[in-house]
């Protein structure tokens, strides 16, 4: 079993679940397919799992490591953004919102800003925010792990989906990087696994 399933913290796991999105953050594996690094570079993207009939090994020698996410909310929480090729329309919408919010919307500038917002060199950057200000699609961290703000409430994340969670109060640590949360508050669409609705 390959260690390429990503949780909202951005950590990799070896699990059997088939997940809805693919992505990458560079070549993380060695010639034997063992994960050797957390990330390589600043370009962390989220892709569709099928595109123009292309097929590839998830861990080809010297090429990017295919990573998998439960839903787009999980990928955003981990710090990934839409791929400009296989998700061209999503990328253009994302860039337009980024330009309105932050200015420079070149891919390199976006990737540099996101990297600073998600990773401090040793671990995740967590920004305290009032729970009432967390938009739908964003995640926070509590003692039990990642919790998603849904359109109607809160739901605890797992690789098997979501289950209802009590509404947090007061300041909470924001798991989804702050620039992405700002885009969500401005209307960035976020695909959320259907289990969050029930």
């Amino acid at each position: 079993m390959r260690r390429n399933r990503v949780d909202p913290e951005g950590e990799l796991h070896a699990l059997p679940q088939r997940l809805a999105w693919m992505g990458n953050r560079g070549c993380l594996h060695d010639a034997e397919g063992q994960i050797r690094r957390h990330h390589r570079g600043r370009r962390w993207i989220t892709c569709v799992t099928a595109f123009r009939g292309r097929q590839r090994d998830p861990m080809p020698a010297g090429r990017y490591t295919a990573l998998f996410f439960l839903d787009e909310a999980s990928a955003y929480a981990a710090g990934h953004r839409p791929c400009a090729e296989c998700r061209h329309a999503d990328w253009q919408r994302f860039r337009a919102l980024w330009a309105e919010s932050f200015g420079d919307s070149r891919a390199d500038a976006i990737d540099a800003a996101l990297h600073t917002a998600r990773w401090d060199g040793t671990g995740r950057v967590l920004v305290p925010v009032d729970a009432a200000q967390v938009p739908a699609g964003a995640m926070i961290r509590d003692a039990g792990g990642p919790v998603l703000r849904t359109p109607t409430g809160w739901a605890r994340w797992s690789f098997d989906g979501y289950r209802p969670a009590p509404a947090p109060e007061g300041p909470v640590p924001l798991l989804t990087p702050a620039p992405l949360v700002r885009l969500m508050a401005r209307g960035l669409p976020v695909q959320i696994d259907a289990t969050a609705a029930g």
Side-chain angles (χ1 to χ4, degrees):
M1 196 175 306
R2 299 179 188 270
R3 188 160 69 95
N4 61 356
R5 272 54 172 171
V6 186
D7 69 24
E9 300 272 356
E11 298 303 318
L12 307 181
H13 304 266
L15 297 167
Q17 285 91 334
R18 293 186 63 81
L19 304 176
W21 295 89
M22 190 186 85
N24 83 81
R25 55 177 88 141
C27 182
L28 313 183
H29 60 279
D30 62 18
E32 285 73 46
Q34 299 300 310
I35 299 295
R36 296 298 180 196
R37 58 187 67 86
H38 180 268
H39 62 275
R40 185 171 200 148
R42 298 174 174 173
R43 186 150 290 159
W44 296 21
I45 63 173
T46 308
C47 303
V48 293
T49 56
F51 182 64
R52 296 182 179 170
R54 295 180 188 173
Q55 294 186 351
R56 76 185 291 278
D57 183 316
M59 295 186 182
R63 302 291 304 279
Y64 74 81
T65 305
L67 305 174
F68 296 92
F69 307 90
L70 171 70
D71 57 6
E72 191 177 27
S74 303
Y76 277 135
H80 291 241
R81 55 109 171 138
C83 174
E85 182 183 14
C86 69
R87 300 182 61 199
H88 186 72
D90 293 339
W91 167 240
Q92 292 302 328
R93 182 172 49 234
F94 181 95
R95 283 186 69 204
L97 274 172
W98 187 279
E100 291 171 12
S101 302
F102 305 110
D104 191 346
S105 64
R106 292 172 300 127
D108 287 344
I110 291 172
D111 292 337
L114 286 177
H115 199 65
T116 299
R118 70 184 165 232
W119 191 259
D120 68 4
T122 58
R124 289 301 302 271
V125 174
L126 300 174
V127 177
V129 65
D130 189 277
Q133 301 303 311
V134 178
M139 291 197 198
I140 63 167
R141 179 199 284 171
D142 73 7
V147 179
L148 171 73
R149 177 70 170 97
T150 75
T152 58
W154 294 85
R156 183 162 306 283
W157 178 94
S158 79
F159 277 109
D160 293 317
Y162 295 93
R163 66 181 191 278
E169 296 180 359
V172 293
L174 196 57
L175 187 56
T176 304
L180 297 174
V181 172
R182 185 168 173 186
L183 298 188
M184 291 172 189
R186 294 186 64 137
L188 178 69
V190 181
Q191 180 271 328
I192 296 172
D193 187 74
T195 56

